[in-house]
Amino acid sequence: MNLIADRLDRISPSLTIAMSAKARALKAAGRDVISLAAGEPDFDTPRNVKDAAIAAIERGETKYTDVAGTMALRKACAEKFKRDSGIDYKPEEILVATGGKQVIFDALIATINPGDEAIIPAPCWVSYPDIVALAEGKPVIVPCGPNQGFKITPEQLEAAITPKTKWFILNNPCNPTGAGYTAAELKGLTDVLLKHPDVWIFSDDIYEKLHYGDYKPATIVQVEPRLKDRTVTMNGCSKAYAMTGWRIGFAGAPVNLIKAMDKLQSQSTSNTSSISQAAAIEALTGQQDSVEEMRKVYERRRDLVVGMLNKAEGVRCPTPEGAFYVFPDIRGCLGKTSASGKKIETDEDFCLALLEEQGVAAVHGAAFMFPGHFRISYATDDASLKDACGRIQAFCAGLK
């Protein structure tokens, strides 16, 4: 009898986490490594948020809370949705979880039956397909290339929907590409979804606050309120407020689904940290100056990285509208040999050789269901970004 359950054969370890761990191991061994693999802000959590957490500890708020989160935090989440997107959610339509990933896990595990399909535009975040597969569903990957701005079109969405489609999962702005859908672009998608009343929508808006230039993000229910009764609108504190380690994600959804997610969560993690919840209330309702300060820095870093990568031989790097990633096309580097003699046949070969020869950690495109590219996070300091991009230029120049 096998110890490990067969269901684990349907998934893989997170490749972004794996590359970050490999970079840390090399650093620990004394190598000069710059890691651009993790999707984690390099900023400290804002002072007012930390103070709110300390105050909660001093007040003794160290007990269990409701599984779905404290009433105060659920009200703060509802206020955030109303303020930023004009969406009305009641506190009973809100669930707080241990990070955005658990929100996704709760929603999909609670709803997917064997054989149900979930449409996922690619490039996509590495965990979407695996969570669908773990729920015994079928990920339906729809390739969306750079020629269409890495965004799914209404025609592609319509063609992907079948009688088995349970979910359409959309990340806006997107990890790994930084592509952002405007309200007008979302309207084309919502027009399709209105024609298919059995399809639910999962809108992952975790990077909503990080947008650049003239681009302004929107979300599904904001654009088409008639879809509210079958949409999960997810957000969190990790990216905008530099609170990755605090593990706070939240979602608004119809009460019947929130109850199902609450039921599942009650038998897994139960409530998220009471102290993190107190900090999240301050993050969502307190002063927002720090968010704008970080956003401006990310925009400057984006321009720095895009400019330098487009000077690397064989690399084409589009300018993203949001998040803190770039997703360069490196097909011009494939089929060559590195300076140390490594054959670069795939994007994974490229990233492994780049790490070994130049000490730069990035994540290959195939991890995001879109080979021929790689992802860099520019959520790190300017000096490290300049150094890393210079090393990438040198690596590409050495390919023969």
Side-chain angles (χ1 to χ4, degrees):
M1 180 182 294
N2 290 330
L3 172 64
I4 307 303
D6 292 343
R7 71 177 67 90
L8 287 190
D9 291 337
R10 295 195 290 267
I11 65 173
S12 302
S14 169
L15 293 174
T16 55
I17 294 174
M19 184 59 82
S20 296
K22 186 176 181 69
R24 283 194 296 272
L26 288 173
K27 274 188 175 182
R31 288 283 305 276
D32 175 19
V33 173
I34 303 171
S35 181
L36 306 179
E40 181 168 42
D42 62 313
F43 296 102
D44 195 8
T45 300
R47 182 72 258 172
N48 63 308
V49 177
K50 293 192 288 187
D51 287 344
I54 293 167
I57 294 171
E58 296 295 346
R59 289 193 301 269
E61 294 180 13
T62 55
K63 308 299 184 182
Y64 292 132
T65 75
D66 289 344
V67 171
T70 64
M71 181 56 67
L73 179 52
R74 282 182 278 165
K75 286 180 177 178
C77 293
E79 291 167 8
K80 175 260 178 290
F81 283 126
K82 180 66 174 177
R83 179 184 69 238
D84 292 346
S85 304
I87 306 174
D88 286 308
Y89 284 116
K90 300 179 180 67
E92 58 266 30
E93 296 177 300
I94 301 290
L95 178 128
V96 179
T98 308
K101 185 181 285 188
Q102 189 180 21
V103 174
I104 301 166
F105 187 90
D106 284 348
L108 299 184
I109 296 293
T111 58
I112 290 179
N113 290 311
D116 286 346
E117 296 176 353
I119 297 169
I120 306 171
C124 64
W125 183 48
V126 296
S127 293
Y128 295 141
D130 279 321
I131 295 174
V132 171
L134 188 63
E136 298 187 73
K138 177 184 176 183
V140 177
I141 306 300
V142 180
C144 307
N147 60 317
Q148 59 194 75
F150 295 119
K151 303 174 196 178
I152 191 171
T153 66
E155 294 76 17
Q156 285 179 304
L157 177 58
E158 180 69 64
I161 293 174
T162 76
K164 293 183 178 181
T165 303
K166 175 68 73 72
W167 285 98
F168 169 53
I169 300 173
L170 189 70
N171 185 199
N172 182 36
C174 175
N175 172 7
T177 64
Y181 293 78
T182 64
E185 289 168 329
L186 289 179
K187 183 62 168 62
L189 301 177
T190 61
D191 286 347
V192 172
L193 293 164
L194 283 171
K195 297 188 294 183
H196 298 276
D198 293 329
V199 177
W200 281 69
I201 302 102
F202 194 103
S203 184
D204 181 347
D205 303 338
I206 196 75
Y207 296 98
E208 168 199 45
K209 297 286 187 183
L210 305 180
H211 54 87
Y212 314 118
D214 295 330
Y215 167 68
K216 296 292 184 256
T219 191
I220 292 284
V221 177
Q222 179 184 17
V223 170
E224 182 46 81
R226 287 178 290 176
L227 291 171
K228 182 172 182 279
D229 289 343
R230 52 187 171 103
T231 298
V232 175
T233 306
M234 192 205 88
N235 217 299
C237 296
S238 295
K239 313 301 181 179
Y241 299 98
M243 293 176 65
T244 49
W246 299 77
R247 308 309 299 137
I248 290 286
F250 55 86
V255 170
N256 63 332
L257 178 54
I258 290 294
K259 286 181 177 179
M261 294 166 68
D262 181 283
K263 180 180 180 180
L264 175 62
Q265 192 165 296
S266 75
Q267 294 293 1
S268 55
T269 61
S270 192
N271 63 277
T272 193
S273 161
S274 60
I275 304 306
S276 294
Q277 291 188 61
I281 293 170
E282 175 62 25
L284 296 175
T285 64
Q287 63 84 17
Q288 303 292 302
D289 295 348
S290 58
V291 177
E292 177 61 12
E293 290 168 5
M294 288 187 279
R295 190 200 66 79
K296 288 179 178 177
V297 172
Y298 287 134
E299 185 166 18
R300 188 189 71 241
R301 291 172 176 176
R302 176 200 66 164
D303 295 341
L304 165 68
V305 169
V306 169
M308 290 191 70
L309 290 179
N310 276 322
K311 294 177 182 176
E313 294 180 33
V315 175
R316 290 185 294 125
C317 185
T319 301
E321 292 95 350
F324 42 60
Y325 309 103
V326 291
F327 198 64
D329 185 332
I330 54 169
R331 286 174 292 180
C333 300
L334 304 184
K336 298 183 179 181
T337 302
S338 74
S340 71
K342 301 283 187 181
K343 191 70 175 175
I344 309 299
E345 299 288 0
T346 66
D347 47 81
E348 185 173 12
D349 293 338
F350 179 96
C351 288
L352 289 173
L354 178 64
L355 179 58
E356 292 169 5
E357 298 181 23
Q358 291 289 342
V360 176
V363 186
H364 59 291
F368 305 100
M369 303 289 155
F370 208 86
H373 296 68
F374 75 129
R375 190 195 77 172
I376 282 177
S377 166
Y378 51 86
T380 192
D381 64 276
D382 290 32
S384 295
L385 290 173
K386 289 178 182 176
D387 188 358
C389 289
R391 297 186 194 191
I392 293 170
Q393 289 175 348
F395 177 78
C396 292
L399 296 175
K400 303 297 182 187

